[in-house]
Amino acid sequence: MFLALLELRAARGRFLLMGSVVVLVAALVGIVSGFTTGLGDDTVSALRRLPATHVAFASGAASDQFARGLVDDRTLAGWDREPDTDATPLGVALTRGTTGRGVEVDLAAFGVAPGAFTDPGADDGAPLDAARPDGIVVSRQLVNEGVRVGDTLAVDRLGITLEVVGTTGRSSYGHVPVAYVTTDTWRRVRFTVPGAEGLPADLPAQYSALALRLPADADGTALAAADGRHGTATVPLEDAFAAAPGYDGERLTMTSIQTFLFLIAPLVVGAFFAVWTVQRTPELALLRAMGASRRRLLGHTLAQAAVVVVAGTAAGGALASAVGLLVGEQVPFSLPATTLAATMGAVAAVGLAGSALTLRRVTTVDPMTMLGAAR
């Protein structure tokens, strides 16, 4: 270890250069990880907040089920009769609106039954109330865009005016801030055409899906049988994220970038230490001629690699965190401490694996090189 540290000091320029490359690779992996998590949250955070175990869609819709499928009151009543099952309607619709103060916003209207387990309540102001069907609870992003409790919100071109009664935490769907409305209001948003003045009683009693709470030991066979009875396709809540627009494509893109970075890191580190090992072959041969064991030379090499990779990875993680603090909430970026630690640990592991590619040359160095055998 002492010799390894001496070499680090003697060739600090080269090791600093290599360390800088590790810092940049680790920072890039961390930043991509933050964007992967942030984009995922910005697409499905409203779904993640649902205290449901499963989501039942209309059967037949293979993709974008929230927009392409509808379930009705009969299906809701059928699921409600299933033993140990809580079912509640869920409506999802993308729209836009304008407040009385002229603030224009895009929003994802989530229709929920007031008081149901899908009702988010309100962090500020009042929650949804069946007695106030024109109330709307907006997420924090809409508050940041200028929507306030007490504002009126006119839904674009539909002649529907809502009153902002409360606010809730950060919640979005398909990169659009979420606002929660009653199911009757959601049906007006979903089924009313511009210029018409339809009342809830005149509109189809249909919803995008049903949110279900099933027992933890729910049997897959029984679930499939229930789907057959009610004409639905039920999936676990996590699988329902794929129904959000763009979720699968974004995750595939960002995961592919991460994968390539994890492949690049060991190659870069391995190439550096391969060249470094070739340059130090005479010194390694001298150590072997003086009686140093192969185990000691391996420890010597691994110590240098560990110092460079671990220090570079730690600095890269700090840089990625700094980027997250810098961008704040301006872009969808999320890098929790657990995610950062796991990502940096993986970068350090693949970096050390790359350095291990040079170990064979270290162990096979010939001590006779320093005794003239090569002349």
Side-chain angles (χ1 to χ4, degrees):
M1 185 65 182
F2 177 72
L3 289 175
L5 295 178
L6 283 180
E7 278 195 339
L8 285 173
R9 178 184 295 181
R12 55 182 175 272
R14 277 175 281 189
F15 281 105
L16 283 174
L17 178 62
M18 184 57 214
S20 300
V21 174
V22 175
V23 169
L24 293 177
V25 171
L28 187 55
V29 172
I31 291 169
V32 171
S33 179
F35 278 120
T36 302
T37 305
L39 287 169
D41 286 342
D42 207 45
T43 304
V44 297
S45 61
L47 298 178
R48 283 199 176 111
R49 290 189 63 184
L50 292 176
T53 60
H54 293 72
V55 176
F57 296 104
S59 60
S63 63
D64 200 10
Q65 294 98 320
F66 284 114
R68 298 182 181 179
L70 292 170
V71 295
D72 55 21
D73 276 343
R74 181 179 177 182
T75 305
L76 172 62
W79 269 106
D80 239 353
R81 289 192 297 268
E82 294 291 332
D84 301 320
T85 300
D86 290 332
T88 186
L90 176 65
V92 178
L94 299 176
T95 185
R96 58 182 296 110
T98 306
T99 69
R101 295 181 292 107
V103 178
E104 296 184 358
V105 292
D106 294 319
L107 56 93
F110 267 47
V112 298
F117 64 83
T118 51
D119 184 352
D123 297 338
D124 201 14
L128 294 175
D129 188 345
R132 300 175 65 184
D134 291 335
I136 181 172
V137 174
V138 299
S139 60
R140 193 173 70 206
Q141 296 100 305
L142 290 172
V143 174
N144 294 339
E145 292 181 21
V147 180
R148 300 288 182 266
V149 174
D151 283 350
T152 58
L153 185 68
V155 179
D156 190 32
R157 298 177 299 144
L158 298 182
I160 300 173
T161 301
L162 307 174
E163 180 185 357
V164 180
V165 297
T167 66
T168 186
R170 186 179 180 88
S171 186
S172 57
Y173 172 81
H175 303 299
V176 179
V178 166
Y180 296 89
V181 296
T182 64
T183 49
D184 283 347
T185 298
W186 180 84
R187 290 192 293 125
R188 292 177 64 195
V189 172
R190 174 66 172 80
F191 298 115
T192 300
V193 297
E197 295 190 8
L199 299 175
D202 303 325
L203 301 172
Q206 296 177 323
Y207 317 96
S208 300
L210 301 178
L212 307 177
R213 286 200 301 196
L214 302 178
D217 58 350
D219 179 68
T221 304
L223 191 60
D227 276 336
R229 288 192 297 271
H230 307 307
T232 55
T234 302
V235 298
L237 179 62
E238 293 77 10
D239 293 347
F241 297 165
Y247 180 75
D248 280 343
E250 287 175 354
R251 286 190 64 84
L252 178 60
T253 300
M254 302 306 290
T255 302
S256 299
I257 295 173
Q258 274 188 302
T259 301
F260 277 109
L261 289 174
F262 279 124
L263 292 175
I264 290 170
L267 293 178
V268 171
V269 174
F272 171 81
F273 278 100
V275 173
W276 178 242
T277 301
V278 170
Q279 292 178 339
R280 350 177 359 242
T281 298
E283 288 83 356
L284 294 174
L286 176 60
L287 290 173
R288 286 287 290 132
M290 294 174 63
S293 65
R294 289 188 175 88
R295 179 179 298 179
R296 185 174 181 182
L297 294 184
L298 285 175
H300 172 82
T301 303
L302 288 176
Q304 288 180 339
V307 170
V308 173
V309 172
V310 173
T313 301
L319 181 57
S321 296
V323 170
L325 294 175
L326 181 64
V327 299
E329 294 189 357
Q330 300 174 10
V331 296
F333 186 94
S334 177
L335 192 59
T338 52
T339 302
L340 177 62
T343 303
M344 293 302 104
V347 172
V350 297
L352 290 174
S355 68
L357 298 175
T358 65
L359 295 182
R360 183 177 179 279
R361 190 174 187 89
V362 173
T363 57
T364 58
V365 66
D366 186 3
M368 296 300 292
T369 300
M370 296 307 296
L371 299 179
R375 296 181 181 177

